[in-house]
Amino acid sequence: QVQLVESGGGLVQAGGSLRLSCAASGSIFSIDAMHWYRQAPGQSRELVAEITSNGTTNYADAVKGRFTVSRDNAKNMGYLQMNSLKPEDTAVYSCNAMIITDLYGSRWYGWGQGTQVTVSS
């Protein structure tokens, strides 16, 4: 069993910062890519940022220069540092990951439950 749990969401004023965490637990041999998505009410889910196993990062244009994705492989953790937040960043943020669960390369791909980020103007 593998589980992803996000935390760190909340209410913040425009211009403020939040740091989201994604904790992976269970049968984990290693973690491949980790992704952060968000979904605002009435909108489709969009990819915000991703980080590969070797640390290569990619960002949506809307968050470049404001958000930073990182990971701690020793702790099976992923992070999303969000600075200069805007009201349009308001959404439920979720992480997902491709996790290698054993020496044979078995894989688990799943999602956390999400954490609400609300940015007030």
Side-chain angles (χ1 to χ4, degrees), residues 29-98:
F29 180 74
S30 66
I31 300 177
D32 201 344
M34 300 184 77
H35 305 85
W36 286 94
Y37 284 80
R38 68 185 180 186
Q39 187 168 21
Q43 298 186 22
S44 58
R45 187 160 52 194
E46 62 172 342
L47 178 64
V48 175
E50 61 184 355
I51 182 167
T52 65
S53 57
N54 64 5
T56 300
T57 59
N58 286 295
Y59 299 91
D61 288 343
V63 306
K64 280 181 180 177
R66 300 188 297 121
F67 290 12
T68 302
V69 62
S70 61
R71 60 193 289 168
D72 184 332
N73 291 330
K75 296 181 179 179
N76 293 329
M77 294 288 298
Y79 305 98
L80 185 67
Q81 178 68 43
M82 306 186 296
N83 299 328
S84 301
L85 282 162
K86 304 175 181 180
E88 52 264 44
D89 294 319
T90 295
V92 174
Y93 285 72
S94 302
C95 68
N96 80 353
M98 178 68 74

Side-chain angles (χ1 to χ4, degrees), residues 93-105:
Y93 285 72
S94 302
C95 68
N96 80 353
M98 178 68 74
I99 294 176
I100 314 302
T101 58
D102 57 35
L103 288 171
Y104 304 101

